[in-house]
Amino acid sequence: MASNGYRNGNKGAIKPLSASSNVRSSSFKSRLPPSSNHSSGSALRRTSSTGAGGDAVPGRVRVAVRLRPRNAEESIADADFADCVELQPELKRLKLRKNNWESETYEFDEVLTEFASQKRVYEVVAKPVVESVLDGYNGTVMAYGQTGTGKTFTLGKLGEEDTSARGIMVRSMEEILANVSPEIDSVSVSYLQLYMETIQDLLDPANDNISIVEDPRTGDVSLPGATHVEIRDEQSFLEILKLGEAHRIAANTKLNTESSRSHAILMVHIKRSVLGEKVSIPIETDKSSHFVKPPKPLVRKSKLVLVDLAGSERVQKSGSEGHMLEEAKSINLSLSALGKCINALAENSAHVPIRDSKLTRLLRDSFGGTARTSLIVTIGPSPRHRGETASTILFGQRAMKVENMLKIKEEFDYKSLSRRLEIQLDKLIAENERQQKAFDDEVERINLEAQNRVSEAERNFTDALEKERLKCQMEYMESVKMLEEKMIENQRKHGWDGFRKDKCNGEGPGSSNAEDIAEVKKLLEKETHMRKEAEKEVIKLKSQLGQGTEAGAGVDAEILKLQIALEDEVLQKRKLEEEIVILRSQMLQLTFEADQMRRCLSRGGPGNAYTGLDSPMSQVSDNGHKTPVSSLFDQVGVQKVLELLESEDANVRIHAVKVVANLAAEEANQERIVEAGGLTSLLMLLRSYEDEVVRRVAAGAIANLAMNEANQELIMLQGGISLLSITASDAEDPQTLRMVAGAIANLCGNDKLQATLRSEGGIKALLGMVRCGHPDVLSQVARGIANFAKCESRASTNGIRSGRSLLIDEGALPWIVQNANNDAAPIRRHIELALCHLAQHEVNAKDMINGGALWELVRITRDCSREDIRSLSRQTLNSSLVFRAEMRRLRIEL
């Protein structure tokens, strides 16, 4: 009965709350320790200068206590005993019983009974922190308590089957995702564990020793080696939590069947784009009006840290031994270091031992820093663990005295502003182009309308003139016809009347006819005058028409004359630009030659004299400055130089291709040359020009570009291998053949081009150039064969290809054996490497033995001047069954 009364709280006096009681006050405010008394590495910084979010705001660490219900084992073992704690959630207090009569009372920010739901726990403990994180502050939620009291359940419960059981981690992410915009905001997480004082990545177990990096200026802590995963939805976050929990270390102890042996730390990084406040600026001329500055785009960077601490335990109770004992020691030491730091902060100590543990270094921003921190301490009801429960309660009480200085982490969003300005600029450019196009269209319309009007006026004038002329002609013809008819009628009439009168009176017709003739003459004169007037009018109209036509023709002639003059000016300008480029490059070249000559003379001999633009090795000066050709490249531009390749002047064209060849010798210029179409131009020169100098220098430029693997594939795609093969068969000049052989040799070093080189005649062209006999050409041929043999050997070793070597199929083996002991060291070295690579593939062995290559391999193992080639030859012979059998037959010993 006594035990029942004790459990129900009916016995024992409650210590009254007073100034001398053990009630812990939550209004304690710690002060900054003087920075002059200690180093920055041993004390926590109370403020941060990394943000632009204004002054810091004080914020005390909030602490909640949560009681775990009795488990099955405690229900049986402690059936006759009351709980060691009594909760008063409405007063936010708990009583820790010493015995049946005495108890100690403690106040917390929240007191959560064993019946409190997970949602209730989240709302009172974590939700204020999450809201602050969304506003731009850093935040921390941490669970502390004895092992087996429900820390992992409170923080990390996934609740896949029952969503009401979800812990703080899942609920925090739900609220974050609900309040961010996927288009402009970003959320990423890192999941770590601190195990035996090493930080391990739970999302990448191979990353098991992550270092802590501290900013010496601000003291901020970061883990650059941790995995960051972008979060877009809740399901992906649950998968990450499951993956991390699967990698977290746990063990079975007497106190907990699945006891966490490491501290789990979930870091959620949030970036949010916001607009700053509008600033009103008074105008000097008008004090009553104000100019409102548009808000600045800002980026708020905040971090939410969720910490599931491993449970503190006593070894005699947990039964840990062996490796688990070492784990328990490490856990207790890190928790002890955390407790010391909190004690120092609570007591306003001048020194905070922050570097005693990696746990305290990771949490330096959570206690005494700039983060809003909530701590939930979990306790059990069993009186057998009263000591651990009391220690946990006192830890929470001390933590409540720690005060942080909260500060928003804001930065000016240059990227957003840049994007906005680019959009505005694009809009303005588009509007300007639209207005310019409309203006051009309007001008064209007006010109076309004017031309149409002029054409219509000319056409109307011509038609009117023609009509008037036809009308005058018709009137004239009709008048003449009428006069003729009238004259005939008058003659007939007068003739008959006169005959009768003569008959009657005996007189002749002379007088009457004379009058008629005079009258007809007058009419004819009148008609003639009218005809002349009409002709004058026609002539006048024709002259006016001619004047109009001459004026139009004069305008057209003037326009044509101006166009011809303009074309002449453009042609003259282009010629002047070409001459300027040539003169500038010649001047820079002469300057560089003078510098080379001075350096050569200072070294005491002419052996290193500059050889001109034909030499691909004359690109970099001794002191690392840009060469004249590179200076020309920067001053003139690659596009202008490439345009000179198509010049009609042969000297300009030769000079331009030399400049491009020298530029191509520098790897920094190759990409720009290819992007500007330089490779295509060089291949066109190689295809279309028969000039030996142009072909030689163009082949040299292609050889320089072929040193880059990306350019090699472009050369193949644009038919460069076929062009080089054709050039190799046509050319006779040793220097041209050397350039072509060098280009093909570079292509031979690409594994992807083996089949193409053979099908497009590259191998035959390479072997055909040995006809020249020049040592430089033979050296390039030998280098190409060595590169090809090396690629074949690598492909055969990797199982990519099988069958006899393409070099042997193309008949290269006799020449290789013949020149294996060439007097020229470069030729001999490349041939020796080629023989070693060919011999590494077993299928080539018989052909090499029949061709005499075995004796050369034996000679290489004995006489080669290079140790690496001797070792490769010896290793190849010893690893081949065919070669070993032949050497035994011939009694050859290595």
Side-chain angles (χ1 to χ4, degrees):
M1 296 296 294
S3 62
N4 291 336
Y6 174 74
R7 164 171 281 186
N8 295 330
N10 295 327
K11 290 188 178 182
I14 300 176
K15 184 176 290 187
L17 295 173
S18 63
S20 61
S21 67
N22 291 328
V23 176
R24 303 303 194 255
S25 173
S26 62
S27 61
F28 182 82
K29 180 176 180 180
S30 58
R31 295 179 297 276
L32 280 170
S35 58
S36 59
N37 297 336
H38 55 85
S39 65
S40 61
S42 62
L44 281 168
R45 298 176 183 267
R46 300 302 179 93
T47 60
S48 173
S49 60
T50 60
D55 298 331
V57 179
R60 179 180 58 79
V61 175
R62 292 178 55 84
V63 182
V65 61
R66 186 182 193 186
L67 177 65
R68 171 182 60 76
R70 287 194 178 193
N71 54 33
E73 189 261 334
E74 290 173 344
S75 297
I76 297 174
D78 301 332
D80 296 332
F81 300 96
D83 293 346
C84 65
V85 293
E86 179 184 348
L87 305 184
Q88 296 177 334
E90 65 280 356
L91 299 176
K92 297 183 180 180
R93 297 176 183 171
L94 69 80
K95 293 181 179 180
L96 177 64
R97 291 192 176 91
K98 290 184 177 181
N99 48 47
N100 289 345
W101 302 276
E102 296 184 34
S103 63
E104 293 180 344
T105 303
Y106 299 93
E107 285 185 353
F108 288 93
D109 294 301
E110 292 291 341
V111 175
L112 303 168
T113 67
E114 64 269 34
F115 305 110
S117 65
Q118 290 282 72
K119 181 180 180 181
R120 167 69 176 162
V121 173
Y122 169 75
E123 288 179 347
V124 300
V125 175
K127 187 171 184 178
V129 177
V130 174
E131 291 174 346
S132 296
V133 171
L134 290 171
D135 290 336
Y137 297 94
N138 287 344
T140 302
V141 178
M142 187 170 67
Y144 177 91
Q146 182 189 7
T147 181
T149 54
K151 298 182 298 301
T152 302
F153 177 84
T154 300
L155 256 71
K157 182 69 174 177
L158 298 181
E160 292 182 289
E161 298 178 357
D162 182 8
T163 56
S164 63
R166 289 185 171 182
I168 290 176
M169 288 183 178
V170 179
R171 294 178 184 270
S172 298
M173 186 54 67
E174 287 178 351
E175 183 159 354
I176 290 172
L177 293 176
N179 287 276
V180 298
S181 174
E183 290 79 13
I184 59 174
D185 303 332
S186 66
V187 180
S188 62
V189 300
S190 300
Y191 203 7
L192 314 167
Q193 70 174 355
L194 179 61
Y195 175 71
M196 300 285 286
E197 282 301 302
T198 61
I199 301 175
Q200 302 175 359
D201 198 332
L202 290 176
L203 304 181
D204 182 11
N207 190 10
D208 58 358
N209 191 10
I210 300 174
S211 59
I212 301 175
V213 177
E214 297 181 13
D215 189 333
R217 184 174 61 88
T218 64
D220 291 343
V221 175
S222 61
L223 302 169
T227 301
H228 288 262
V229 180
E230 196 81 12
I231 300 298
R232 292 293 180 184
D233 51 40
E234 181 183 342
Q235 187 59 36
S236 62
F237 178 67
L238 291 175
E239 294 296 330
I240 287 174
L241 287 184
K242 286 194 286 187
L243 177 63
E245 289 300 322
H247 294 147
R248 188 177 179 187
I249 299 174
N252 185 5
T253 66
K254 292 181 179 179
L255 296 178
N256 192 356
T257 58
E258 198 171 335
S259 175
S260 300
R261 313 308 290 170
S262 64
H263 306 299
I265 304 167
L266 178 70
M267 294 184 177
V268 183
H269 301 271
I270 303 174
K271 289 184 181 180
R272 302 193 70 187
S273 298
V274 297
L275 292 176
E277 296 181 356
K278 294 182 179 180
V279 180
S280 180
I281 303 175
I283 300 175
E284 295 182 359
T285 57
D286 188 2
K287 299 297 183 181
S288 61
S289 60
H290 292 74
F291 169 71
V292 179
K293 245 178 125 178
K296 295 188 297 183
L298 302 174
V299 173
R300 287 181 177 174
K301 297 181 179 179
S302 56
K303 178 174 65 175
L304 174 63
V305 181
L306 302 170
V307 185
D308 179 13
L309 295 173
S312 60
E313 61 182 60
R314 293 186 180 180
V315 177
Q316 58 269 29
K317 289 186 178 182
S318 64
S320 299
E321 58 184 12
H323 184 68
M324 290 177 56
L325 180 59
E326 296 300 321
E327 293 175 340
K329 289 180 181 178
S330 177
I331 292 171
N332 289 337
L333 282 175
S334 60
L335 294 176
S336 175
L338 178 61
K340 289 179 181 179
C341 289
I342 290 177
N343 286 342
L345 290 169
E347 295 171 2
N348 200 18
S349 174
H351 173 73
V352 181
I354 198 69
R355 296 188 176 275
D356 287 0
S357 171
K358 288 187 178 180
L359 177 63
T360 54
R361 292 177 66 190
L362 287 172
L363 298 178
R364 69 179 302 166
D365 194 45
S366 304
F367 293 97
T370 62
R372 183 181 295 278
T373 302
S374 285
L375 171 67
I376 181 167
V377 294
T378 57
I379 58 177
S382 176
R384 289 179 297 158
H385 306 303
R386 183 191 179 282
E388 289 80 356
T389 302
S391 176
T392 302
I393 293 172
L394 292 177
F395 180 89
Q397 288 289 295
R398 289 190 293 270
M400 289 175 65
K401 296 181 181 181
V402 178
E403 184 167 310
N404 298 342
M405 301 300 292
L406 312 182
K407 193 167 186 180
I408 294 179
K409 311 290 184 180
E410 284 184 347
E411 296 178 358
F412 188 80
D413 191 359
Y414 291 99
K415 291 183 178 179
S416 175
L417 180 61
S418 175
R419 285 195 302 270
R420 192 171 67 184
L421 292 177
E422 286 178 356
I423 292 172
Q424 293 180 357
L425 180 61
D426 292 340
K427 289 181 179 179
L428 291 175
I429 291 175
E431 179 65 20
N432 183 44
E433 291 178 350
R434 187 189 64 78
Q435 293 180 358
Q436 183 65 32
K437 187 176 184 303
F439 176 76
D440 294 340
D441 293 343
E442 183 66 18
V443 170
E444 185 177 358
R445 186 188 64 79
I446 292 173
N447 289 334
L448 183 61
E449 185 178 351
Q451 291 177 2
N452 292 336
R453 288 182 178 179
V454 171
S455 300
E456 186 178 359
E458 291 178 350
R459 187 168 56 254
N460 294 336
F461 182 76
T462 303
D463 293 343
L465 184 62
E466 184 66 20
K467 289 179 180 179
E468 188 66 25
R469 186 179 67 81
L470 293 174
K471 181 180 178 182
C472 291
Q473 287 180 354
M474 292 297 294
E475 290 178 351
Y476 174 75
M477 295 299 294
E478 289 177 357
S479 298
V480 171
K481 186 177 180 181
M482 289 174 61
L483 286 173
E484 288 176 348
E485 290 176 351
K486 189 173 182 180
M487 184 179 68
I488 292 170
E489 182 180 358
N490 287 334
Q491 285 177 354
R492 188 167 53 247
K493 179 180 178 183
H494 290 299
W496 178 252
D497 291 340
F499 178 74
R500 283 190 307 171
K501 190 173 181 181
D502 289 342
K503 287 288 184 177
C504 293
N505 300 327
E507 295 180 359
S511 60
S512 178
N513 290 337
E515 293 177 0
D516 292 338
I517 291 170
E519 186 179 356
V520 170
K521 284 182 178 180
K522 289 180 180 179
L523 291 172
L524 285 174
E525 288 176 357
K526 184 178 180 181
E527 290 295 333
T528 303
H529 179 71
M530 291 176 64
R531 179 179 179 183
K532 288 181 180 180
E533 291 294 329
E535 288 178 351
K536 288 181 181 179
E537 185 68 22
V538 170
I539 292 171
K540 183 179 179 182
L541 292 174
K542 284 184 177 179
S543 65
Q544 291 179 358
L545 178 61
Q547 289 176 0
T549 305
E550 288 175 1
V555 173
D556 292 339
E558 186 68 24
I559 292 174
L560 182 61
K561 185 177 179 180
L562 290 175
Q563 288 179 347
I564 294 172
L566 182 60
E567 291 176 356
D568 292 341
E569 289 292 333
V570 171
L571 183 61
Q572 188 68 19
K573 180 181 179 182
R574 186 179 295 113
K575 289 183 179 179
L576 289 175
E577 287 178 351
E578 291 179 357
E579 291 176 2
I580 290 170
V581 171
I582 294 171
L583 292 174
R584 185 180 294 170
S585 62
Q586 290 176 350
M587 181 186 69
L588 293 172
Q589 180 178 349
L590 291 172
T591 303
F592 183 75
E593 289 176 356
D595 293 340
Q596 289 281 9
M597 184 60 69
R598 282 197 296 272
R599 284 196 294 272
C600 177
L601 293 175
S602 66
R603 288 196 293 267
N608 296 321
Y610 178 68
T611 60
L613 286 173
D614 285 338
S615 173
M617 299 305 293
S618 60
Q619 295 305 307
V620 182
S621 60
D622 294 341
N623 55 7
H625 294 300
K626 287 188 176 180
T627 65
V629 179
S630 297
S631 300
L632 175 64
F633 183 86
D634 294 335
Q635 294 174 11
V636 178
V638 63
Q639 197 63 45
K640 181 64 71 176
V641 176
L642 293 177
E643 288 176 359
L644 296 180
L645 295 176
E646 302 176 0
S647 175
E648 297 178 358
D649 191 337
N651 293 328
V652 174
R653 190 166 57 248
I654 292 173
H655 190 81
V657 74
K658 286 183 179 181
V659 172
V660 174
N662 283 330
L663 289 172
E666 295 184 31
E667 186 176 357
N669 300 330
Q670 291 181 0
E671 183 178 357
R672 297 170 64 184
I673 292 174
V674 173
E675 288 179 354
L679 177 59
T680 304
S681 300
L682 291 171
L683 292 173
M684 289 291 295
L685 288 176
L686 203 63
R687 179 185 294 112
S688 58
Y689 285 97
E690 296 181 358
D691 185 274
E692 195 65 28
V693 177
V694 173
R695 292 207 301 174
R696 180 179 72 249
V697 183
I702 295 172
N704 288 335
L705 293 176
M707 291 187 291
N708 188 301
E709 185 176 354
N711 296 339
Q712 292 171 0
E713 297 184 9
L714 290 176
I715 293 172
M716 178 197 70
L717 293 174
Q718 297 185 23
I721 297 176
S722 300
L723 285 175
L724 291 171
S725 302
I726 295 171
T727 306
S729 62
D730 295 343
E732 296 295 336
D733 179 64
Q735 295 303 321
T736 303
L737 292 174
R738 178 174 69 89
M739 297 297 182
V740 175
I744 297 177
N746 289 336
L747 296 175
C748 286
N750 193 322
D751 296 335
K752 302 175 183 178
L753 305 182
Q754 300 286 295
T756 307
L757 279 167
R758 185 189 183 190
S759 63
E760 297 188 6
I763 302 301
K764 286 185 178 180
L766 191 67
L767 296 173
M769 284 184 281
V770 302
R771 70 182 186 277
C772 174
H774 195 281
D776 292 341
V777 178
L778 297 181
S779 176
Q780 295 298 328
V781 172
R783 182 170 70 87
I785 291 174
N787 288 343
F788 197 92
K790 183 177 180 181
C791 291
E792 280 192 330
S793 174
R794 184 162 53 239
S796 300
T797 303
N798 296 334
I800 299 174
R801 74 176 303 275
S802 60
R804 194 169 66 165
S805 169
L806 297 178
L807 291 173
I808 297 176
D809 291 340
E810 294 291 334
L813 186 59
W815 186 84
I816 294 174
V817 174
Q818 181 183 353
N819 289 272
N821 199 15
N822 195 292
D823 293 336
I827 300 175
R828 185 174 63 253
R829 183 178 70 254
H830 290 311
I831 294 298
E832 288 172 347
L833 283 172
L835 280 172
C836 292
H837 290 309
L838 287 173
Q840 287 180 340
H841 196 30
E842 194 76 16
V843 73
N844 299 328
K846 290 184 179 181
D847 292 306
M848 296 183 71
I849 291 171
N850 296 332
L854 175 60
W855 295 103
E856 293 300 330
L857 288 169
V858 173
R859 180 193 60 77
I860 292 171
T861 61
R862 296 173 179 173
D863 301 332
C864 183
S865 59
R866 288 183 49 172
E867 176 63 29
D868 56 338
I869 299 179
R870 290 202 307 272
S871 300
L872 180 60
S873 177
R874 185 179 296 106
Q875 180 183 355
T876 302
L877 290 175
N878 288 331
S879 61
S880 173
L881 297 176
V882 178
F883 283 129
R884 284 191 302 182
E886 184 66 15
M887 286 191 295
R888 282 196 302 270
R889 189 181 70 82
L890 298 175
R891 298 181 180 179
I892 299 174
E893 294 182 359
L894 297 179

